[in-house]
Amino acid sequence: NEEGKLVSIRTSALEEQATGAQMIVLLCESLEEHFFPYVQRAASALAPLSTTSVHDDVRSYCMAAMPELVMSTAKSLAATHAHAPEQRFEPLRQILEFFSGKLIQAIETEGMLELLMTAMQSLKQCIENACRIDWSSTAAPAVSTGGSSGATLRALRSRTPLVPATSQNLLSEEMLRSISETLLKCLAGSVQRRAVRRAEATTDEDFDEEEEVKHMMAGQEEEELQFNISEVLGALLKTHGEAYLPVFGNTWLPRLVDMGHPNCLLADRKLASYILCDVLEYCGESTATLLPHIMPALFAACDSDEPSLRQPAAYGLSVAAAGLPVAFGQGGQYLEQALQHLCTAVQLPNARQGAQESATDNVVAAIGQICLHHGAHPVLQKDGDQLWNLYLGYLPMRGDQEEAAKVMMQLAQIARSGDPNVVGHGVGRLGRMVALLAASVGEPGTTDTMHQEIA
């Protein structure tokens, strides 16, 4: 070591530790709530090793075990204390805070990017598993570890999406702040490493193709790391909603406003847009006071020539139009500006070609949301027919299948409603809607639920 002393490590003992930790992960995954009697002992044994072990696999498996132990606890308590909230959620709060503290420590000290991302994924899953209220078989189907990857993915996708209304706030303000500040430090480290690589690429005389490949791979790892940061923030917003906003506003919002500036790098602007979309989606009207900071970043992103940036920005405007009817439409400030930016984006050259099409699909979907939710607004009273015709004339969407299915489902619902602001006075737009719905049956991305709605 640094002191010149010889250190002997029994690698066989470390390998046994890694195997033991892996077995606990597999047992907990398979047994789920039936593993609950052993959760405390397992947590006491594994948690310290997640940051102190010198063996990478030991640290990795210990971190991977944490969300499984939380899920075992959550499912067991949901079954035994369904009508006793305090007895159900207090143990969950304790184990979540305990594991969160350990994972924060791991994020702050871990030197390997791969394990750093493992820590973040574990933290995200711990938060979501602890805060989920409904663990019934219909809301959260079991994920079989022995099944195919496709079956596992289908089971995960069929779970009821987490939103603040279906979640229990468990993390204290202090822990929310600790997680937020740790993630900010992690992002700062990632940005600094990127800056060093960019400087080396321009000043190092020995920089060659091999070094360029290494830098490119490192850049991809950093982008994945930043994605994991956004995933943890998304979990906090999904589960804690407006309760997280004061901490978010004091920690992350100023940084995201800076990252969303048009002069910043594309990767930074995209990350900011994705996180701001989550804020709008999961905090609703509570974000009204933040809109002066959020909307300029989304408007600027919507004007971008880069479709990968324009798409999340348009989605964010769509979410704001539907989820913040008062704050978004009040006084016409944001609504009118949003329509100007969106209508400009629709008319970009090659808007329906290649990578541009998915972005344009989201732009048109946002125009539809504004038309649907703000029909009484003076701007819509004046230009509503023109906007509805633009919206319906663009359909069907071909780029973003997920968005296309949502739009068709919504179209079926509003056509059935007969609202004259939507179908037109004298139902002039109804024929076009029915034709679009009929043509969509059986198309990729459609579901039985959608077919029933159309029928």
Side-chain angles (χ1 to χ4, degrees):
N1 62 15
E2 295 178 355
E3 298 176 357
K5 296 180 180 179
L6 180 64
V7 178
S8 176
I9 298 176
R10 290 179 56 198
T11 56
S12 60
L14 290 175
E15 289 169 1
E16 289 174 2
Q17 268 190 348
T19 302
Q22 183 185 23
M23 290 300 297
I24 291 175
V25 174
L26 294 174
L27 281 170
C28 198
E29 283 180 344
S30 299
L31 296 175
E32 296 188 338
E33 67 268 29
H34 304 295
F35 191 81
F36 178 63
Y38 311 100
V39 165
Q40 186 172 356
R41 289 175 60 189
S44 299
L46 297 179
L49 294 174
S50 65
T51 55
T52 60
S53 177
V54 296
H55 198 293
D56 298 343
D57 286 347
V58 173
R59 299 199 305 279
S60 178
Y61 286 129
C62 288
M63 289 188 284
M66 293 180 185
E68 302 302 329
L69 295 172
V70 171
M71 185 175 69
S72 174
T73 303
K75 296 189 78 169
S76 177
L77 294 174
T80 57
H81 296 86
H83 303 293
E86 185 173 344
Q87 296 177 37
R88 174 184 174 183
F89 289 113
E90 180 57 25
L92 276 171
R93 185 193 63 77
Q94 292 176 7
I95 192 172
L96 177 59
E97 293 249 343
F98 175 64
F99 281 153
S100 296
K102 290 295 181 183
L103 290 169
I104 287 172
Q105 186 180 352
I107 292 170
E108 291 175 338
T109 59
E110 186 56 63
M112 292 182 60
L113 277 183
E114 184 179 351
L115 292 185
L116 187 57
M117 288 186 275
T118 298
M120 290 188 184
Q121 279 297 309
S122 293
L123 180 57
K124 165 188 175 285
Q125 292 167 14
C126 280
I127 294 168
E128 293 182 349
N129 288 345
C131 296
R132 178 181 287 276
I133 293 175
D134 189 355
W135 279 101
S136 64
S137 58
T138 52
V143 178
S144 173
T145 55
S148 67
S149 58
T152 299
L153 186 60
R154 284 193 296 273
L156 287 171
R157 285 178 173 173
S158 64
R159 287 184 171 180
T160 302
L162 273 176
V163 294
T166 62
S167 306
Q168 182 75 21
N169 291 1
L170 294 178
L171 291 171
S172 64
E173 182 177 343
E174 181 182 0
M175 183 57 73
L176 289 171
R177 185 174 299 279
S178 180
I179 293 172
S180 299
E181 291 174 348
T182 299
L183 294 177
L184 269 176
K185 292 176 186 175
C186 190
L187 176 64
S190 177
V191 171
Q192 184 177 17
R193 290 190 294 271
R194 182 181 66 191
V196 170
R197 287 195 304 273
R198 290 166 66 91
E200 289 176 347
T202 55
T203 60
D204 190 351
E205 295 180 357
D206 297 326
F207 192 83
D208 54 17
E209 290 184 5
E210 184 177 348
E211 288 297 319
E212 185 178 359
V213 171
K214 289 181 180 178
H215 277 222
M216 184 178 68
M217 293 178 63
Q220 291 173 347
E221 285 185 335
E222 294 291 356
E223 285 189 12
E224 188 177 352
L225 173 65
Q226 292 181 13
F227 171 77
N228 279 272
I229 292 174
S230 71
E231 287 271 280
V232 179
L233 288 174
L236 293 176
L237 290 162
K238 287 177 187 177
T239 56
H240 290 71
E242 63 181 78
Y244 177 52
L245 277 184
V247 173
F248 177 85
N250 290 328
T251 55
W252 269 91
L253 184 61
R255 182 58 189 266
L256 293 175
V257 170
D258 291 341
M259 291 171 63
H261 193 277
N263 292 335
C264 285
L265 294 175
L266 175 63
D268 292 349
R269 297 181 69 190
K270 284 166 62 176
L271 181 65
S273 294
Y274 281 119
I275 296 172
L276 293 176
C277 284
D278 280 347
V279 174
L280 293 170
E281 185 165 5
Y282 298 115
C283 299
E285 290 284 2
S286 301
T287 60
T289 57
L290 305 185
L291 288 186
H293 306 286
I294 294 175
M295 300 308 285
L298 294 183
F299 290 153
C302 196
D303 293 339
S304 171
D305 293 333
E306 176 55 53
S308 64
L309 176 59
R310 197 162 63 250
Q311 182 168 342
Y315 178 77
L317 296 179
S318 177
V319 168
L324 289 77
V326 176
F328 182 81
Q330 189 174 24
Q333 178 186 3
Y334 298 122
L335 184 147
E336 192 165 359
Q337 288 184 63
L339 283 174
Q340 290 172 357
H341 291 280
L342 292 167
C343 290
T344 300
V346 172
Q347 298 168 23
L348 288 173
N350 305 319
R352 298 206 74 167
Q353 295 182 14
Q356 301 284 347
E357 188 163 25
S358 290
T360 308
D361 284 358
N362 281 264
V363 168
V364 173
I367 293 173
Q369 289 288 355
I370 292 174
C371 291
L372 177 62
H373 294 280
H374 300 273
H377 193 280
V379 173
L380 271 296
Q381 290 292 307
K382 177 176 176 289
D383 300 324
D385 286 341
Q386 182 179 352
L387 290 167
W388 272 114
N389 290 336
L390 183 155
Y391 174 69
L392 294 173
Y394 180 90
L395 301 180
M397 296 177 177
R398 300 189 301 258
D400 189 335
Q401 289 188 1
E402 183 179 350
E403 192 65 31
K406 284 164 44 178
V407 165
M408 284 301 166
M409 175 74 81
Q410 185 180 72
L411 198 62
Q413 294 168 346
I414 60 181
R416 181 176 295 173
S417 73
D419 184 346
N421 288 324
V422 177
V423 300
H425 296 284
V427 296
R429 289 189 285 269
L430 187 59
R432 172 64 177 163
M433 291 181 179
V434 171
L436 286 167
L437 293 169
S440 71
V441 175
E443 288 295 306
T446 58
T447 62
D448 291 341
T449 304
M450 179 177 159
H451 294 158
Q452 291 170 6
E453 188 66 38
I454 293 173

